[in-house]
Amino acid sequence: MKLISWNVNGLRACLKKGFEDVFQTLDADFFCLQETKMQPGQAEVNAPGYWQYWNSAEKKGYSGTAVFARREPIQVTYGMGIDEHDHEGRLITLEYEKFFLVCCYTPNAQNGLLRIDYRMRWEDALRDYLSELDAVKPVIYCGDLNVAHQEIDLKNPKTNRGNAGFSDEERGKMTELLDAGFTDSFRYLYPDVTGVYSWWSYRYHARENNAGWRIDYFIVSDRVKQAIQEAKIHTDIFGSDHCPVELDIDLG
């Protein structure tokens, strides 16, 4: 089973930069998108053979997630059932017989950590939500999680310490999530690999210089980590300031 996650930073813009070619070339069973920045009907994606699920923010042109699935799920849930967290289109959960798939676009703590208190409440609620799912069946959790967990997950850890995405608070919440029974698929296979990132600023020629951050993840329940076959980061694919990340897993 092949899954792709990609923050497209505006799907309508990404469609003009070859999104459909990438979609067809990667040929995934599940394609999870973050930061779609659109309402249903504002753009059409040519994806025959896929079920499409969209969760748009109430604020137009902001946030938003989508999932394209080759198999129809048993059930689809939008948000986590908490009013404070369910207005920005950040979460879609698909339930299947053997697993839950959760597509997430985590709130950014913003410059100066202006939104860090909200981010902490989100992280606690999301961890509880994932743990509740995990008590029923294994979870595959993916998306732009807006945190580089370890120093090897970004090019310049010393100068970014305390900034949004690399604050002690955000990194600590990622540690809490993993300690709650989850595995970062990329680090499971490649614990010491450096210089592989999924996001680069549009400023300072960051992508040319590979001055990036690994903030896009596939995280799975611990009990299925041995089913992980591959975890890829497609740094050669453009169209957004993020690149797609991939999980290949065999759940039988």
Side-chain angles (χ1 to χ4, degrees), residues 29-47:
D29 298 295
F30 297 92
F31 215 109
C32 301
L33 306 182
Q34 302 86 42
E35 209 169 358
T36 55
K37 293 184 178 179
M38 56 172 276
Q39 305 295 312
Q42 287 190 301
E44 295 297 327
V45 179
N46 182 28

Side-chain angles (χ1 to χ4, degrees), residues 60-75:
K60 292 185 177 179
Y62 177 74
S63 187
T65 47
V67 178
F68 297 78
R70 280 204 169 114
R71 284 190 283 156
E72 184 179 12
I74 297 168
Q75 178 174 290

Side-chain angles (χ1 to χ4, degrees), residues 82-239:
I82 299 173
D83 185 70
E84 180 184 23
H85 301 309
D86 288 352
H87 295 275
E88 296 182 350
R90 293 187 177 275
L91 207 66
I92 303 175
T93 304
L94 275 58
E95 180 183 0
Y96 289 91
E97 182 183 355
K98 295 184 178 179
F99 66 97
F100 290 101
L101 173 61
V102 181
C103 172
C104 178
Y105 177 39
T106 299
N108 192 303
Q110 298 183 351
N111 290 338
L113 302 182
L114 293 177
R115 213 183 185 195
I116 191 68
D117 290 343
Y118 173 70
R119 170 68 177 266
M120 295 296 98
R121 295 195 299 276
W122 166 277
E123 293 286 356
D124 289 340
L126 193 278
R127 186 178 63 255
D128 288 345
Y129 176 74
L130 294 176
S131 294
E132 289 172 7
L133 296 180
D134 184 48
V136 178
K137 62 185 79 171
V139 174
I140 298 172
Y141 168 51
C142 71
D144 173 2
L145 305 188
N146 261 318
V147 61
H149 185 218
Q150 304 174 34
E151 289 195 352
I152 59 173
D153 292 320
L154 72 167
K155 179 70 174 288
N156 298 305
K158 289 185 172 59
T159 54
N160 280 294
R161 175 83 183 271
N163 289 341
F166 199 60
S167 67
D168 291 349
E169 296 93 329
E170 292 163 298
R171 296 171 67 196
K173 290 299 181 187
M174 174 61 85
T175 298
E176 286 183 45
L177 173 64
L178 298 177
D179 287 348
F182 297 93
T183 296
D184 173 353
S185 62
F186 184 79
R187 283 289 167 232
Y188 176 70
L189 294 184
Y190 306 108
D192 303 314
V193 166
T194 61
V196 181
Y197 309 118
S198 65
W199 173 78
W200 303 262
S201 170
Y202 280 131
R203 297 180 293 176
Y204 313 121
H205 303 285
R207 194 154 188 177
E208 291 174 43
N209 299 323
N210 197 31
W213 301 48
R214 190 179 72 94
I215 60 176
D216 301 87
Y217 296 79
F218 272 99
I219 290 174
V220 304
S221 296
D222 280 350
R223 65 185 179 281
V224 296
K225 65 185 180 184
Q226 290 179 321
I228 296 171
Q229 297 174 313
E230 183 57 281
K232 298 178 182 178
I233 299 179
H234 292 277
T235 56
D236 57 333
I237 293 178
F238 292 77

